[in-house]
Amino acid sequence: MEREDEAAMTFIAWPFGQDHLMGFLGGPAAWEASREGPAALEALARAELRAAFGPRADAALRGAPVLASDWGNDPYARGAYSHARPGRAAARRILGTPLAGGRLCFAGEACHPRLAATVGGAWESGEWAAHAALAALAGVPPEPVR
Ligand SMILES: Cc1cc2nc3c(=O)[nH]c(=O)nc-3n(C[C@H](O)[C@H](O)[C@H](O)COP(=O)(O)OP(=O)(O)OC[C@H]3O[C@@H](n4cnc5c(N)ncnc54)[C@H](O)[C@@H]3O)c2cc1C
């Protein structure tokens, strides 16, 4: 956040017509909420919505069930998005390059040279890895990462 009064969270309402409201929080505020627990996160989300929409937000969400995820402390996630350090985006291509003639491949959102941090990038890099593995099994060299 750059200003004191700036919103800490962003929200997506009614995704694909579902009666859900999703809030996103990152950075130091997210770590603080994570330490304080899900009730603190819910209180923060409700306060953010109240600041944007006034008391109507409380009325609309009264009694609504809440689910808080905490990827930072999930041992299989340990955060939200992968990222390359500034100037190091080329490392993604290197990470996605098959090793041992295609017998060892890394795939996923961090490995795509252009679509990093997206489902599309993760999916495509998985397909490339699968093709490389099949090529290795067939005894042909893997295609280079596009
Ligand atoms: C809040 C948020 C919103 C997003 N919104 C969008 C969006 O709108 N559009 C979009 O394209 N992308 C979005 N993304 C990004 C997208 O979700 C990811 O880029 C994508 O899911 C990454 O896929 P992946 O297969 O590389 O990794 P993951 O989906 O993270 O899969 C990795 C899997 O490996 C498992 N794992 C980890 N360690 C181990 C281990 N040691 N042993 C066994 N299993 C393990 C994990 O549990 C997990 O299931 C969003 C991400 C976040 C966090």
Side-chain angles (χ1 to χ4, degrees), residues 9-21:
M9 297 181 73
T10 54
F11 291 90
I12 296 176
W14 293 278
F16 303 104
Q18 300 294 313
D19 61 346
H20 296 345
L21 177 66

Side-chain angles (χ1 to χ4, degrees), residues 73-114:
N73 286 316
D74 181 329
Y76 293 124
R78 302 183 65 193
Y81 295 86
S82 67
H83 67 95
R85 289 177 193 272
R88 302 286 179 178
R92 295 185 181 124
R93 186 183 294 277
I94 296 168
L95 189 60
T97 299
L99 301 169
R103 288 183 293 123
L104 176 62
C105 304
F106 292 105
E109 63 160 23
C111 300
H112 201 288
R114 287 170 289 105

